[in-house]
Amino acid sequence: MEEEVEKAVFAYLRKKGFRLTEIALQEEQTRLSSDASSLSRSESDAAKYYDGYGKLRSWAYNSLDSYRHELLRVLYPVFIHCFMDLVAQGHMQEARTFFQTFREDHEMMHLRDLQTLEGILSPSHLEEMELARLWRQNKVKIRLCQYSYELLVQYLHKTQSLAMLGVINEHINFEVYPGQPASMSDDSEAVSLIGTSQDLAREINQKELHWGLLEDSVEERMEKTLSESDKTEVDGNKEADTEDNNKKKTDGNKHSTAVNNKKKKDKVVGATGKTIRSESSMVSVPPRVKPELTLPQFPPEVEQSILEDLRNRVQLNSLALPSVSFYTFLNTHNGLNCSTISHDGSLVAGGFSDSSVKIWDMAKIGQPGRASNPQGENGSMQGMHSLASDEAKRPYSLLQGHSGPVYSVSFSPFADFLLSSSSDNTIRLWSTRLNANLVSYKGHNFPVWDAQFSPMGHYFATASHDRTARLWSVERIQPLRVMAGHLSDVDCVQWHPNCNYIATGSSDKTVRLWDVQTGNCARLFIGHRSMVLSLAISPDGRFMASGDEDGTIMLWDLSTGRSVSPIIGHSSCVWTLAFSCEGTLLASGSADCMVKLWDITSSMKALKTDDSKSGPASRLRLLKALPTKSTPVYTLRFSRRNLLFAAGALSAGS
Amino acid sequence: MSIVPKETIEVIAQSIGIPNLSPDVALALAPDVEYRLREITQEAIKCMRHSKRTVLTADDVDSALNLRNIEPIYGFASSDPLKFKRAIGHKDLFYLDDREVDFKEVIDAPLPKAPLDTAVVTHWLAIEGVQPAIPENPPIEAIVAPPDGKKMDHGKDDSLPIDLKLPIKHVLSRELQMYFDKIGELILGRADTPLFKDALLSLAKDSGLHPLVPYFSYFIADEVSRNLNNLPILFALMRVVKSLLSNPHIHIEPYLHQMMPSIITCLVAKRVGHQISDNHWAIRDFASKIVASICRRYGHVYHNLQSRLTKTLIHAFLDPSKALTQHYGAIQGLSALGPSVVRLLILPNLETYMQLLDPEMQLDKQKNELKRKEAWRVYGSLLLAGGSCLYDRLRLFPGLLSPPDILPWKTNKKIALTNLPNNKRKASSRLTAHQPPTKKLAVDPTGTNSQFPSTDGPATSSSSGSNPNHHHSHNSSNNNSSSTGNITNANANINNVSGSGAHGQRVAVSNVLRQAWKEDLDAGHLLSSLHGLFGEGIFSFIQPAEMHCFI
């Protein structure tokens, strides 16, 4: 009698198309019945998961072509949860077999996660491991089109595979949308853990972002200066005066002259005869924003040297590639952890695993002054000479103070200070003139992976194993802001050119952008498949590039939070990225001993035309691959004159 | 279940003084141990990445343990990545080769050299996007400069674009130099050792020999001209050439022009080795094969390669003032180039040449035995060339290889026999008047028969190519009362040990064959080629069949 009623109810539900209700009902039934026979259940459970998943898998792989990729999305969460269910119920052996049998399906997309999850061997591990907890506590949301969803429901109903039904009901939320299935490329976004990443990202990325450049920056003033000097033919001596005048009247005519300035600049560049620049390569003038931090003023002589550099800048584009000067570290005995190059290329610093920091002055080594060696540097060299007379034998200045491997070094904009971060949880500030330690900043509780001076100096940002990034000012020993939110180590940090934001890359495979004023997360970028190792933000502040452990380079649009073009750029870790000064080229350096130059302009243009479609159709175009002689590339840096400096340690192995 | 077996747990427990760990505990611990191991590894990998390395070291594991507030494991630190050895008999068991060091040894040992201090050198990786070819940059092409490892030369760092314009010095690595010297030594001294065979194999197989090719080609040219009368060395050189040619990793084309003269020298030189004692014919044969293989492989790249070669050879062939040995080489070379070459270049000249050659072969006219033998050799090679050409032609018309009935065979045999008296070798070339009838007779059977399985064609006609040769050598040895017998005819003996009576007939038959070729010439000149081919085809074809009948 009861059965008949049940049948009638099912028939009714089916007739009306209440599929979810039907599934729910079935599940309830199974739960009731399984409670009754819980003893027999536990034994056959493992097999049920195995069979059920196997069937679901073969069904999904044999489904209609146009819906297959959507249905395949369901497999991964089901796989993970089947495995965890088995572990939770104590079927260790079965869980292992299950995992090994089906893992290769997902290896391509989720290798890192699989490697982590593989270690789960007891229910207690499920509690302990963060990733597992994340999976257990949150539902997965999958976007499916109407028909794919119907197919899936039909299948589940037909096969009566209760184990699968249970898993899907319990852990997956379907977001059904009408119409045709979406293209394959959206795969990464279609599956997401609720409440963790994607939703959050969407929410965060709706905030307003002022990605424009700082108003009243040196460069802007330079443009004005040039326009002025163009009109009046003022010679070099008087330029400083005109600058000062300009400073006062900037605000008034800023916007009206913006377009005008560009033309003037072009003209001047053409006159200096450096390179021919195509008009089209110039991106439209970025908007100007006010600084949120009180920024230091540059001393006049420094400003003048910058102006000098800007005037002599080589214009780079896809046709005019930069010259690359490579600094090779020899005899490092595998001890070099990081390196950095000052803006003018005259100073090179390396951080070593024996806790030392070494600075080489390239001018002193007998290198005749490079094209970009400004006069400002000579003064500091003199001072160093007299002080370091006792160390005359050594070609470098040795800075000792840390008590653990040094993981990053960073020069201040004018190379008068050096920051170093170490595994002893401290960051130290060194003076390159005095060759002495000035301050030790304590605040992080774990090794500090990265430290970066702001583009204007005075402030710096750090990234640490304690999952926070911190903002500091050189004159305070406590951090000004703590940016918490990453789910794993913060591995790298980078300043936005306007100093209002810092970007951080993390082992949780995301990149975040933080507002320095509020300390809130302003953008969340999801898409990398492994640990993010390097970041760079374009000089106009609109784009950000990030490189990861697998050699993938992604380009992001900061304003929309979308990925512009992911590429497999290298075959190994991307240690460093750098934009050229006009933002036309991106240089990447990797552990595969290559420096690669990428064309940004073309992909940006494609982005502009495609803006409405929002598809990541364009790809970065590789302009040039420059192999080194078994020297992994640790650091890349464009000088203000667009000379590219690179550094790396010769690896003795090959 | 866990990758850590419970036995491992038990062993470790014993080693730290827990003698009787219950199996349940071990079982429960094993998964957790694996989990902790993975956790530590994950942290260690982070440390590795931040040290900008791709190889995990003991230091990284120590740092990872530090991160977890665990005492690091001391005693394993090493600046270089550890080298693991595979345990014999186990697929995935590795161990560290950790030698026990005696204290005294360490104390007594002289102080090790202080490690070199870290230094920074600069060079231009690229200038306006182009990589300059300086030692600091990796070589662009396959030719590898000697790995000098350290770029200590500061002076070179200043090498600005001006350096680029200088020609790049071609540096041969020490290993390659040694290799080259060794090969040279083998060629000149010990070409008969098994080591030389290995060397040839290495020349034919190894990649990375490309930098040596110019040296080899020069060496070969040099040695060939110097050792013209040292046959073993010449042979060794030719074998080296052959190996180099067959090496797939070498682009030998640019050096062919240097190699070819040496090979051709070996082919058509007047004197190669000691004329009497050495088997210089063999090296000519060998050289002809090399020449042919070169033409086949590079003929399409160098359009004038084959034409120039044939020109050289045909000059040698047609010049009556040249020695017979040279003629022989030329014929061998030409015939190795293929039947069509033979047809176009040798056959038209065959008649005139035979007139020249005939007196040389006669006992009464050529008293010098050596000369006579040479003449027979030349004759043999001509026969071979003609035969293969004929065979090739015949193959084009498989339908024509029709089996004659028994009766026509017999008649034909009779014809051959009846022709025999007329066809004395002396007069054969002059008796053109007699040939039209023979030909007619020959043509007749073709019309009548048509069911010979075409597969038999090759076998029979190939025997037609080779057998007569042997007959002639036989014949010559018969003719010469003072037969030296150094012309090998073992094969012929095996095939044709059938009495001396038949012998004479066979000689005659081969004469017929020869006649047939001459007819081919005539036919080529006079009749339309197809018709001519019929005639000649039947002639050569019937003849072995007949011989078959004999035996």
Side-chain angles (χ1 to χ4, degrees), chain A residues 176-298:
Chain A
V176 181
Y177 62 92
Q180 289 299 302
S183 65
M184 296 274 265
S185 53
D186 294 341
D187 253 9
S188 58
E189 290 174 27
V191 182
S192 55
L193 285 172
I194 295 174
T196 54
S197 47
Q198 203 68 47
D199 272 6
L200 187 64
R202 198 164 298 144
E203 191 187 312
I204 288 173
N205 291 354
Q206 270 161 5
K207 290 182 192 167
E208 198 188 356
L209 190 79
H210 305 283
W211 55 269
L213 292 183
L214 277 186
E215 62 185 27
D216 198 25
S217 67
V218 182
E219 291 193 26
E220 196 186 20
R221 262 176 278 146
M222 147 114 185
E223 285 179 6
K224 297 211 167 31
T225 316
L226 286 175
S227 65
E228 290 289 315
S229 63
D230 211 37
K231 278 176 201 153
T232 56
E233 302 283 325
V234 184
D235 57 49
N237 298 334
K238 289 180 186 169
E239 260 175 30
D241 300 340
T242 38
E243 258 171 50
D244 290 335
N245 294 338
N246 271 336
K247 264 184 222 167
K248 285 157 199 161
K249 55 184 175 182
T250 8
D251 291 329
N253 57 3
K254 186 174 58 194
H255 292 288
S256 58
T257 49
V259 182
N260 204 14
N261 285 343
K262 199 186 86 188
K263 280 185 189 162
K264 290 283 151 51
K265 196 175 169 189
D266 278 358
K267 213 188 266 177
V268 172
V269 170
T272 48
K274 283 287 176 188
T275 16
I276 311 117
R277 176 170 35 147
S278 59
E279 193 72 32
S280 59
S281 74
M282 196 63 186
V283 190
S284 58
V285 180
R288 299 286 168 180
V289 294
K290 285 205 190 310
E292 289 175 16
L293 300 169
T294 28
L295 291 172
Q297 287 289 324
F298 292 140

Side-chain angles (χ1 to χ4, degrees), chain B residues 8 56 76 104 115 170 172 188 232 260 272 302 313 317 325 345 360 362 367 394 402 434 439 443 445 465 496:
Chain B
T8 311
L56 199 69
F76 293 94
K104 197 159 171 274
H170 182 90
L172 214 53
L188 297 181
M260 279 308 267
V272 181
Y302 295 93
L313 292 176
F317 175 50
T325 46
L345 295 173
E360 298 287 329
Q362 299 300 322
K367 296 296 181 213
L394 276 174
S402 42
H434 288 261
K439 199 181 116 198
V443 171
N496 306 322

